[in-house]
Amino acid sequence: MFRKTTLLAGLVLLASCATVPITGRRQLSLVSGSEMNSLATTQYRTFITENKLSTDAANAAMVKRVGERIQHAVEQYVAQNNMQGQLDGYQWEFNLVDNKEVNAWCMPGGKVVVYTGILPLTRDENGLAVVLGHEISHAVARHGAERMSDQLVAQGLSTALSTALSQNPTQTKSLFMQAVGVGSQVGMLKFSRTQESEADHLGLIFMAMAGYDPKGALPFWQRMAAQSQNNTPEFLSDHPADATRIADIERLLPEAQKYYKPR
């Protein structure tokens, strides 16, 4: 009986797989895009009401302009590759928040926030395109849903997200916040580094398609490395070590440059 149950569970997990655009990596997908988008919209609205939007009209307009160019590049890519379903339910928004933290993120469904604290490091539109290309790629690659799926399985909840929400809403919402980047677990770190590297890869191509020079990723991440002065060993970090990231980007640049057409 145990073998049959294990086999059935394995078949369910095997059937619940998706493919990441560009890299072709297979990922576990027990959570639907609509479920993730719904949770993301609720959390995003809460965040926007509790945080101050920047009154810097020029920089807010730049965030929107760069974000929309990358949005269009993503939409172009999925259309050309018959992957339109990857963006089902997306309702894009781009906001600049007045916060000194060096941060930016994109929730499932295309809700993008940039913190003013990162702008001194991005310096210009091209640097901002590096950041937004990376963050939007996390959403496009459905990394949040993948993390959510992993955590549901890790807690013995290989079931629909709606079921988990009805049975334990507080725990499930906590899992969601971790899945979209709030909190981490050592057991998940290596996988998170895989997702970070994957977002770098996709981000380079999307920014190039949007007309931004992907070579700008190198000086941006070098500035980030100098700013962070992060001495955390790579095996205890959910981001690739600075030297690893920069070396990987150098390796990926020839591929990204093929998509680059200056505007």
Side-chain angles (χ1 to χ4, degrees):
M1 181 66 180
F2 174 77
R3 288 184 177 180
K4 288 183 178 180
T5 302
T6 302
L7 178 60
L8 179 60
L11 290 173
V12 169
L13 294 179
L14 183 62
S16 303
C17 286
T19 302
V20 178
I22 298 176
T23 68
R25 181 176 65 84
R26 299 285 287 171
Q27 60 184 173
L28 182 63
S29 182
L30 296 174
V31 183
S32 72
S34 61
E35 289 174 316
M36 290 297 290
N37 293 351
S38 177
L39 280 172
T41 297
T42 300
Q43 295 298 326
Y44 173 77
R45 295 302 175 206
T46 299
F47 176 88
I48 290 299
T49 59
E50 294 177 352
N51 290 269
K52 180 183 176 183
L53 295 181
S54 173
T55 57
D56 185 330
N59 279 330
M62 178 177 66
V63 167
K64 185 175 178 63
R65 181 169 59 251
V66 175
E68 287 180 346
R69 282 176 60 172
I70 294 178
Q71 169 195 340
H72 295 151
V74 170
E75 291 170 344
Q76 176 187 348
Y77 181 89
V78 299
Q80 290 174 344
N81 291 274
N82 297 316
M83 303 178 73
Q84 290 93 329
Q86 201 78 13
L87 301 179
D88 281 351
Y90 267 56
Q91 295 180 339
W92 298 90
E93 289 188 37
F94 304 93
N95 275 304
L96 179 64
V97 167
D98 190 4
N99 189 312
K100 294 181 179 179
E101 185 178 343
V102 178
N103 200 10
W105 42 261
C106 177
M107 280 192 172
K111 301 295 190 289
V112 178
V113 166
V114 175
Y115 292 38
T116 53
I118 203 172
L119 296 182
L121 289 171
T122 58
R123 293 188 179 178
D124 55 23
E125 285 200 22
N126 206 87
L128 182 60
V130 176
V131 173
L132 292 186
H134 174 91
E135 297 302 330
I136 288 172
S137 291
H138 275 308
V140 173
R142 295 181 176 174
H143 286 160
E146 183 179 14
R147 289 176 179 175
M148 191 77 180
S149 299
D150 288 336
Q151 293 184 64
L152 288 172
V153 170
Q155 300 211 12
L157 300 172
S158 48
T159 182
L161 178 58
S162 57
T163 302
L165 274 169
S166 64
Q167 293 175 348
N168 196 330
T170 301
Q171 178 191 24
T172 306
K173 288 178 182 178
S174 176
L175 290 177
F176 171 80
M177 294 306 292
Q178 293 180 43
V180 297
V182 181
S184 61
Q185 297 172 312
V186 172
M188 297 287 187
L189 292 178
K190 186 176 188 306
F191 199 70
S192 293
R193 288 200 299 270
T194 297
Q195 293 176 327
E196 286 293 327
S197 298
E198 197 164 57
D200 283 341
H201 187 176
L202 274 64
L204 287 173
I205 289 175
F206 292 145
M207 71 175 290
M209 291 181 66
Y212 296 106
D213 189 350
K215 291 198 297 293
L218 289 175
F220 168 76
W221 287 112
Q222 287 164 351
R223 291 194 296 271
M224 281 289 286
Q227 187 272 343
S228 65
Q229 296 181 339
N230 185 2
N231 295 317
T232 303
E234 185 172 1
F235 72 92
L236 288 179
S237 171
D238 62 352
H239 286 57
D242 294 325
T244 301
R245 164 171 264 148
I246 290 169
D248 287 345
I249 288 173
E250 288 180 326
R251 176 177 55 81
L252 292 167
L253 277 177
E255 177 188 1
Q257 288 293 143
K258 296 176 182 177
Y259 293 87
Y260 175 49
K261 293 181 180 180
R263 294 188 180 182

